[in-house]
Amino acid sequence: MNANLILEVGLIVLQTIGVILAVDFVSGIVHWLEDSYGSKKWPIVGKWIIEPNIRHHFEPRHFTKSNFWKRNAATLVLSGSVLAVISLLGWFHWTWALAALIGGVTNEIHCWAHRSPRENGKVITFLHKAKILQSPRGHATHHTDPKDRSYCTVTDWLNPLLDGVDFFARIEKFVLKTTGLKRRIDESVRPPKNKKKCCGGQCAQCAKCQLKKAA
């Protein structure tokens, strides 16, 4: 095989992996913003995006019952718009198209992580087992109280790294310190099982206590 061809194929593979990781990271940032600071009172996106996201923490499988368009409309519109602007500016490249494609269906990939192998079929199940797409086991970490980690929804690759350095927790501390903006209380988080009585608002992971403290 021609050496130049090998280099070209290798470059395409590396670029593809880079795009996947970039989209995965962006999905984590967006997901974190929704979970941490999103409000149902926000115009347009509050009703369209934040409210379903809040419900998702109470009923993780609810959105699997809806149709493809309802699950992915927001990300498809956003990704398509970004790609259109990039194209108009003359910056089009196949990597942007790939990023828009993956970015547009991140919620579908998220949906697959909430479905059983029987529901997903052989192809998606294979991609889960091969660690190419985020697996149900990998995503389950995000839905484990206090639900404040593993925000990336495309692969299982980035979450362990970001969680390992408390990436999002550090950003939240910085935001709180510099702006005074607190993380939104996640009412789906259950009080710690080892606390039979209210801890007096001292538990950062106890939604009940935080609600009492906020009041």
Side-chain angles (χ1 to χ4, degrees), residues 121-138:
K122 294 181 179 180
V123 175
I124 302 303
T125 299
F126 168 77
L127 294 175
H128 283 161
K129 291 182 177 180
K131 305 298 182 182
I132 296 174
L133 293 180
Q134 183 164 93
S135 64
R137 177 174 292 184

Side-chain angles (χ1 to χ4, degrees), residues 64-81:
T64 66
K65 301 172 185 177
S66 62
N67 58 52
F68 176 87
W69 174 249
K70 189 172 182 179
R71 284 193 296 268
N72 300 281
T75 50
L76 285 170
V77 169
L78 179 60
S79 296
S81 299

Side-chain angles (χ1 to χ4, degrees), residues 101-113:
L101 175 62
I102 299 173
V105 296
T106 50
N107 212 34
E108 194 65 15
I109 297 172
H110 177 198
C111 176
W112 294 336

